[in-house]
Amino acid sequence: MKNCLIILNYNDAQSCLNLVNKIEQYKNIDKIILVDNLSTDDSYSHLLKLQNSKIDVIQTNHNGGYSYGNNYGCFWAINKYSPDYLTICNPDIYFEEDVLEELISIMNREKEKFVSAISCQMNCESTPNLLSTWKLPKYSDCILNNLTILRKIIGDRTIYRKNELNQTTPVKVDVLAGSFFIIRSKAFTSVKGFDDSVFLYNEENILSKKLKEKGWSNLYLNYLSYDHYHSISINKSFSSEAKKLDLAYKSRLIYCEKYLKINKIKKIFFVITYKIGKFNYLVGKFIQRKLS
């Protein structure tokens, strides 16, 4: 089997239904695996109605977040179908069949060059500045992510320059956005997939870090694109701005401790900068709402 597509759902069955209705007939998708991350609504019962010879519907035993849910679906697909590729995507996206075909064709051509994953430009009207690809963050970049106001002044050093990405051929990059990408099953298995200890955010950084350390590389195509209706699923699950900040902080801390292997002093500094940054950010948001 060539390609299994994994869609992770949490309390957002309608988005899954919309996407499946659009892509079910794509010939370059052999199996669609709908993974319900133990939703608290009636999502699972709605998804079960979609099950057929091409679509499998499964459910996790607990909601462990993006990493756990996608690992559950990916390794289930690998163990049952042994696909060459896994296409991992959010339910709140859309891509044309020709886009998927081109991405798979390039992966086939790059078979002997240790290319692990591939994706393309993200179109996101709700968040135009959302990155499709970026450089692996260093410890200093994670500190700047804690201090969001300072980052706006200094700039985000993980962003690729436009001339680095505006190519007519695939470009080697560090990290691909987790909303839509194809990964070689062999590569995914070699690093044991995502890190289950990360609930949400920074999953892509950790996966890419692990792949890079194993010698794999990722490709990005600026001349193809997909649509992403960003944060539909996230906003349904986490309405609190503070809770989203805390989730991102926890995953950054795991990345720094486990993968950048920071010492105790750096960890203490990391924690302090987050508390300062969170306070400044929330106060700024509060003032904006009062003035608007």
Side-chain angles (χ1 to χ4, degrees):
M1 185 169 289
K2 201 74 174 175
N3 179 32
C4 283
L5 183 134
I6 316 296
I7 306 173
L8 182 64
N9 171 73
Y10 183 72
N11 292 350
D12 194 18
Q14 189 58 52
S15 290
C16 290
L17 178 63
N18 293 342
L19 177 58
V20 169
N21 284 340
K22 292 174 183 175
I23 67 172
E24 184 179 356
Q25 300 305 316
Y26 287 7
K27 293 179 181 179
N28 46 26
I29 300 174
D30 299 294
K31 278 284 180 180
I32 297 174
I33 316 296
L34 290 173
V35 185
D36 183 68
N37 215 0
L38 203 64
S39 295
T40 57
D41 63 6
D42 56 356
S43 284
Y44 186 54
S45 60
H46 284 295
L47 295 179
L48 282 173
K49 296 174 185 177
L50 297 173
Q51 191 160 261
N52 57 37
S53 60
K54 187 170 183 175
I55 300 171
D56 292 349
V57 179
I58 59 177
Q59 188 177 50
T60 61
N61 52 17
H62 74 280
N63 176 20
Y66 176 98
S67 294
Y68 176 80
N70 274 301
N71 274 348
Y72 193 94
C74 287
F75 285 114
W76 191 88
I78 290 168
N79 292 332
K80 188 170 183 179
Y81 298 115
S82 301
D84 295 327
Y85 304 115
L86 299 163
T87 299
I88 299 173
C89 62
N90 286 7
D92 56 352
I93 69 154
Y94 173 68
F95 56 90
E96 297 283 352
E97 185 174 13
D98 290 347
V99 169
L100 189 62
E101 186 64 34
E102 177 66 10
L103 294 175
I104 292 173
S105 297
I106 292 169
M107 289 292 278
N108 288 337
R109 293 200 297 270
E110 300 290 336
K111 192 174 181 179
E112 305 302 323
K113 295 183 181 178
F114 237 56
V115 172
S116 57
I118 192 168
S119 189
C120 55
Q121 185 177 8
M122 180 197 313
N123 295 326
C124 188
E125 290 184 7
S126 62
T127 316
N129 295 325
L130 198 64
L131 298 177
S132 307
T133 179
W134 57 91
K135 299 173 186 177
L136 270 170
K138 300 175 183 177
Y139 172 72
S140 57
D141 299 314
C142 293
I143 294 296
L144 282 177
N145 274 327
N146 286 345
L147 302 167
T148 52
I149 295 175
L150 183 60
R151 187 182 64 176
K152 287 180 181 180
I153 297 170
I154 296 176
D156 188 345
R157 295 177 300 185
T158 65
I159 297 176
Y160 285 105
R161 296 189 303 272
K162 285 186 178 181
N163 66 319
E164 293 179 278
L165 299 177
N166 289 339
Q167 307 292 331
T168 55
T169 56
V171 179
K172 278 190 178 184
V173 295
D174 284 347
V175 189
L176 298 169
S179 52
F180 172 67
F181 67 98
I182 301 172
I183 187 165
R184 212 177 294 278
S185 295
K186 182 180 177 182
F188 192 81
T189 304
S190 73
V191 297
K192 300 179 181 179
F194 294 103
D195 186 331
D196 281 348
S197 65
V198 175
F199 190 87
L200 189 64
Y201 302 117
N202 284 285
E203 310 93 339
E204 306 103 318
N205 291 334
I206 292 172
L207 179 64
S208 297
K209 178 74 171 172
K210 294 198 292 182
L211 287 167
K212 192 172 184 179
E213 287 177 350
K214 287 279 188 177
W216 293 98
S217 60
N218 297 325
L219 292 180
Y220 170 77
L221 280 67
N222 194 61
Y223 53 90
L224 296 177
S225 65
Y226 67 97
D227 295 328
H228 185 196
Y229 314 106
H230 182 54
S231 288
I232 289 177
S233 298
I234 293 175
N235 287 338
K236 281 187 176 182
S237 305
F238 305 106
S239 57
S240 165
E241 196 76 30
K243 193 165 186 177
K244 291 177 190 176
L245 289 172
D246 286 341
L247 282 169
Y249 156 72
K250 288 175 183 176
S251 64
R252 275 199 304 278
L253 183 56
I254 292 171
Y255 174 72
C256 287
E257 282 192 296
K258 196 170 178 179
Y259 298 97
L260 298 185
K261 305 187 187 304
I262 61 173
N263 58 35
K264 289 183 179 180
I265 295 173
K266 285 187 174 181
K267 180 181 177 180
I268 291 170
F269 185 67
F270 183 90
V271 173
I272 292 170
T273 55
Y274 173 68
K275 289 181 178 179
I276 294 170
K278 179 183 177 182
F279 176 79
N280 290 338
Y281 178 83
L282 293 177
V283 168
K285 284 286 185 181
F286 176 78
I287 293 171
Q288 280 182 347
R289 282 195 289 267
K290 287 295 181 181
L291 293 176
S292 61

